[in-house]
Amino acid sequence: MMPQSKSASKIGLLSDRSRAEIDRWIAKYPPERKQSAVMAALRIAQEQNGGWLPADLIEAVAQYLEMSPIAVHEVATFYTMYDLKPVGRHKVCVCTNIACQLNGSDRIMNHLQKRLGVKPGETSAGGKFTLKEVECLGACGGAPMMMLDRTYHENLTPEKVDEILNKLE
């Protein structure tokens, strides 16, 4: 267990609801392996905070799971599902791994850049969309594909992308 002074505690940054949900994940592992819930805890904290993880919230997760802050930060920076800066109301993640690339993900990414007026990693004016290029979303059979918020969209064409985005406007 990491020593922590009461005054330096950041656990209070996690809402009661978030802590309860993290506890459900912790319960899936042996007590001495509660750190195994780190990815779920980061996702929960990110959702609580409107889609991104500031340093204080990463530290709160670390304290809650009794991990070093750098270990949790390493997880948050390794996986593309976590964002360390504010994102738009809708996050568009385009897979550019080999299966998607061979099936036209570059065409989908170019279309989205023109349609949204942003490059990967940027948020559109007005904060509606954040566009991300991701390495793999595990849906190679439906390539090219993207994840819009938490929903997968497969076998994309520029026309299909427009249909999907038009439903949000």
Side-chain angles (χ1 to χ4, degrees), residues 7-75:
S7 62
S9 180
K10 296 193 178 184
I11 291 174
L13 295 174
L14 294 167
S15 70
D16 291 342
R17 182 178 177 183
S18 290
R19 288 193 304 271
E21 192 173 345
I22 292 168
D23 287 344
R24 285 191 288 280
W25 279 93
I26 290 171
K28 296 179 182 199
Y29 302 100
E32 69 278 7
R33 299 277 187 233
K34 72 191 270 181
Q35 295 86 357
S36 297
V38 66
M39 290 184 70
L42 285 169
R43 177 189 51 79
I44 293 161
Q46 180 169 274
E47 288 173 1
Q48 168 195 303
N49 196 54
W52 71 288
L53 291 165
D56 283 352
L57 202 49
I58 291 172
E59 289 179 36
V61 168
Q63 288 177 4
Y64 198 73
L65 296 177
E66 299 174 347
M67 296 174 68
S68 69
I70 190 65
V72 178
H73 184 76
E74 287 170 342
V75 173

Side-chain angles (χ1 to χ4, degrees), residues 79-131:
Y79 293 99
T80 58
M81 68 183 91
Y82 306 116
D83 290 288
L84 304 183
K85 61 182 184 179
V87 295
R89 291 185 304 281
H90 299 287
K91 187 164 47 169
V92 181
C93 299
V94 179
C95 177
T96 57
N97 208 324
I98 191 70
C100 285
Q101 188 177 47
L102 290 172
N103 285 288
S105 65
D106 55 339
R107 186 169 61 131
I108 300 304
M109 181 60 84
N110 288 334
H111 180 74
L112 281 162
Q113 288 181 62
K114 289 177 189 163
R115 165 88 189 241
L116 303 177
V118 296
K119 293 180 179 163
E122 296 179 346
T123 299
S124 64
K128 187 166 186 175
F129 294 101
T130 295
L131 181 61

